[in-house]
Amino acid sequence: MRPQSTGTAPERYHLTLIADGRPAMHGWWGSETIARRKFTSWVGEYGSACGARVTLIDEGTDTVLADWPDGP
């Protein structure tokens, strides 16, 4: 279930955590600023998990905004 957003574009920014080759967590935010803060937080909290990959996508433009490791 996606959370309700107070931003102007609800659920536009999608954050995904893959661990050991499987989806482990997802989150959606209407604010890019908040989504980027969450991205940084998830990298810090879960980045050491086996095979961890954290990806932030702007679903409005279908653009990868950040990808860890080895991302923009």
Side-chain angles (χ1 to χ4, degrees):
M1 181 172 173
R2 292 181 181 189
Q4 291 295 319
S5 170
T6 58
T8 57
E11 305 174 355
R12 177 174 177 166
Y13 301 97
H14 182 200
L15 189 56
T16 305
L17 168 65
I18 303 294
D20 203 19
R22 297 180 182 174
M25 288 177 40
H26 291 272
W28 290 265
W29 289 271
S31 164
E32 181 177 351
T33 301
I34 292 170
R36 286 186 181 274
R37 273 190 252 151
K38 291 290 186 177
F39 173 85
T40 301
S41 173
W42 284 20
V43 168
E45 289 181 52
Y46 307 108
S48 63
C50 182
R53 176 167 292 291
V54 182
T55 305
L56 176 59
I57 297 174
D58 178 342
E59 292 191 345
T61 62
D62 200 31
T63 302
V64 174
L65 300 175
D67 194 27
W68 185 94
D70 302 319

